[in-house]
Amino acid sequence: SSGINAEWPLRPGEKVPRRKLLLSTLLGTIIGLALLGGAYFSISKTTALVTSTNSTCPGSGTVILNCGACVSNSDCVFCSTDKSSEGRCILPTVSDNCTEPDMKYMAQDVCYSPYSWTIIAAMVFYIAMFATGIGTLAWTINSEIYPMWVRGYALSISTMTNWLFNLLIAFTFLDLTRILTKKTFRYGAFWLYTGITVVGWIIFYFKLPETRGVPLERVEQLFS
């Protein structure tokens, strides 16, 4: 993916106006993030149902209605005859730990859903949009928009800021999934990223000039 990220965007980036390419692919990135959130949300609603009969996890049959809601409680386990059939949500004990002969399916972290494939499809679409646009054009445009007298300092500060926010996202992603949504489903975090990207798109739309073909000596005039 790193090779695609480095090579492929350079081709349209030299033929298509940078501003147009960035705005269009960033819109695709927004759609990809929203689809990822939607994929996780649909999965959270389509896992196997929980029966209140013989379920020992608090809330079973009322608050906990399916496998996804069951395993979102780190103390509970979902047991069923197969991955898509109605089953029990239990607090495992020595005498009750999904070892019955007919209990052939147990989920503790991730539940089966017929829509699991949508995550892969949404992720591929997101990566394609990100790699073609903001993933590479951010570096290209960033190297072109500064006047010569401040170019070195500005590039250093912008590069440091970029990597600091990359580090921030890497450190906070799992915490965000726990704070915004239940542990198994990450749609809250992806929808938060969608909102942030929408704000970025609006800023670029009103503030970003076209830099393709503009000599570095004339860049300062674009903002005057």
Side-chain angles (χ1 to χ4, degrees):
S1 63
S2 298
I4 295 174
N5 191 41
E7 175 65 20
W8 169 247
L10 296 179
R11 300 184 181 184
E14 290 304 317
K15 299 178 181 179
V16 181
R18 308 210 200 294
R19 172 184 162 84
K20 181 178 180 180
L21 181 60
L22 180 63
L23 289 175
S24 59
T25 55
L26 193 58
L27 184 60
T29 301
I30 292 170
I31 295 173
L33 287 169
L35 288 175
L36 273 168
Y40 276 105
F41 181 78
S42 65
I43 289 172
S44 72
K45 302 300 181 182
T46 56
T47 56
L49 297 177
V50 167
T51 176
S52 58
T53 305
N54 297 324
S55 291
T56 57
C57 187
S60 299
T62 54
V63 178
I64 297 177
L65 301 176
N66 58 29
C67 175
C70 175
V71 300
S72 66
N73 185 330
S74 58
D75 296 325
C76 297
V77 173
F78 178 79
C79 304
S80 178
T81 54
D82 63 71
K83 60 187 180 182
S84 57
S85 296
E86 186 178 67
R88 301 191 299 135
C89 184
I90 66 169
L91 288 169
T93 62
V94 175
S95 59
D96 189 6
N97 55 9
C98 292
T99 56
E100 300 94 325
D102 60 332
M103 292 296 174
K104 300 178 181 179
Y105 177 75
M106 181 178 74
Q108 191 168 4
D109 295 307
V110 180
C111 299
Y112 166 80
S113 168
Y115 299 105
S116 298
W117 62 271
T118 59
I119 294 178
I120 304 299
M123 180 64 73
V124 170
F125 179 78
Y126 163 77
I127 292 175
M129 293 294 101
F130 180 87
T132 309
I134 192 71
T136 300
L137 286 176
W139 298 102
T140 304
I141 296 173
N142 186 55
S143 66
E144 297 174 339
I145 62 175
Y146 303 117
M148 298 299 292
W149 61 271
V150 77
R151 183 178 173 80
Y153 291 108
L155 283 171
S156 300
I157 293 172
S158 61
T159 301
M160 179 186 70
T161 303
N162 180 36
W163 286 109
L164 282 176
F165 273 92
N166 283 340
L167 187 65
L168 179 65
I169 290 173
F171 272 121
T172 60
F173 176 71
L174 292 178
D175 289 328
L176 283 175
T177 63
R178 286 191 288 268
I179 293 171
L180 298 177
T181 47
K182 297 175 181 179
K183 71 167 188 175
T184 310
F185 310 112
R186 299 175 172 84
Y187 52 85
F190 283 113
W191 286 341
L192 173 63
Y193 296 151
T194 301
I196 293 173
T197 311
V198 168
V199 173
W201 189 93
I202 294 172
I203 293 172
F204 285 143
Y205 181 82
F206 288 104
K207 296 295 185 180
L208 180 68
E210 177 56 56
T211 60
R212 178 172 173 261
V214 179
L216 293 177
E217 295 78 10
R218 292 180 51 202
V219 165
E220 194 169 2
Q221 300 175 12
L222 297 176
F223 297 93
S224 61

